[in-house]
Amino acid sequence: GWLIANQDRDVGQQLQDGIRLFKISTHYAVKHSTGWVTTDIAAEGARLNRVAAKLPPGARAALQRLSRSVGNGAPTVSARDIWLCHTLCELGATRMVDFLAAIRRFVALNPDQVIVLFDEDYVAERDLKSAFRRAGLFRRLATLVRAEPLPTLGDLIRSHHNLVVFSQEPTSGKYAWNPYAFRWIQDTPLGARK
């Protein structure tokens, strides 16, 4: 269902292929009875994705109406949920809980592996927590402490906290398992020439 896919293999196959870090983009969306998934731009509130953020409020409302009409205005088969999408869920979407369930199955079979998620987050932290709980992964989330040395991979594996999450945007600090990434890592800015 992805119109412009970055990968041609599902997450289970990517894990089998050795991928251990996933850049994800979490959005609120609704799945319609037609199978079409539409972005819930209004639900993202102040945490707008980069396309919606560049639009004035009237244009965002029009984009939302267009999105619903593309979904044929059909009644939804699910309430709003968190989906992994690239900018807009109309271009392709994977329900976050399904993605996380694949990771849970992999980690259950491979408890000696560490998985890292780098989240370009457009949803509330409390809703992310709910998704991790529903997928059965919340107890596996690692907590990094700034004043202490980083745990080794062995430490993470032995403690059964072998899922590390980083947020691309600053976080509230209320959810220790969801730290602001750039307090821990460095990145080459997009568009850098040197």
Side-chain angles (χ1 to χ4, degrees):
W2 284 77
L3 300 177
I4 308 170
N6 287 336
Q7 293 84 27
D8 60 2
R9 296 175 178 218
D10 65 25
V11 66
Q13 185 60 56
Q14 289 180 57
L15 287 162
Q16 291 301 321
D17 292 344
I19 304 300
R20 297 295 179 268
L21 186 144
F22 294 87
K23 172 74 163 67
I24 61 174
S25 185
T26 52
H27 296 268
Y28 291 117
V30 175
K31 185 173 183 178
H32 298 262
S33 59
T34 58
W36 195 264
V37 178
T38 58
T39 313
D40 190 343
I41 295 169
E44 292 183 0
R47 295 186 80 110
L48 293 170
N49 69 58
R50 64 185 145 209
V51 170
K54 291 180 181 177
L55 300 174
R60 284 196 296 269
L63 179 61
Q64 189 74 82
R65 286 192 304 276
L66 175 64
S67 172
R68 287 189 188 118
S69 70
V70 169
N72 294 326
T76 60
V77 293
S78 64
R80 183 184 76 218
D81 204 349
I82 298 175
W83 291 75
L84 305 183
C85 313
H86 188 64
T87 307
L88 293 171
C89 297
E90 290 77 2
L91 300 174
T94 298
R95 199 171 79 121
M96 184 174 190
V97 171
D98 297 337
F99 169 82
L100 293 175
I103 291 175
R104 179 183 35 79
R105 287 189 297 274
F106 178 82
V107 172
L109 294 171
N110 303 277
D112 61 340
Q113 298 295 304
V114 175
I115 309 297
V116 178
L117 302 179
F118 189 101
D119 182 16
E120 182 181 344
D121 50 332
Y122 299 107
V123 301
E125 291 172 277
R126 71 180 179 282
D127 294 334
L128 284 175
K129 179 180 179 181
S130 172
F132 283 109
R133 283 196 186 283
R134 288 183 289 139
L137 275 176
F138 187 75
R139 64 182 180 82
R140 291 230 179 240
L141 294 173
T143 298
L144 307 178
V145 181
R146 282 290 287 166
E148 296 177 14
L150 281 170
T152 65
L153 294 175
D155 293 337
L156 293 170
I157 291 164
R158 282 187 296 279
S159 70
H160 304 286
H161 292 105
N162 47 345
L163 181 58
V164 181
V165 177
F166 290 107
S167 172
Q168 181 173 304
E169 297 298 324
T171 60
S172 69
K174 290 174 35 179
Y175 302 88
W177 52 267
N178 190 37
Y180 175 47
F182 298 111
R183 291 194 176 178
W184 294 94
I185 61 177
Q186 288 184 321
D187 181 26
T188 302
L190 189 63
R193 295 178 187 265
K194 295 184 179 180

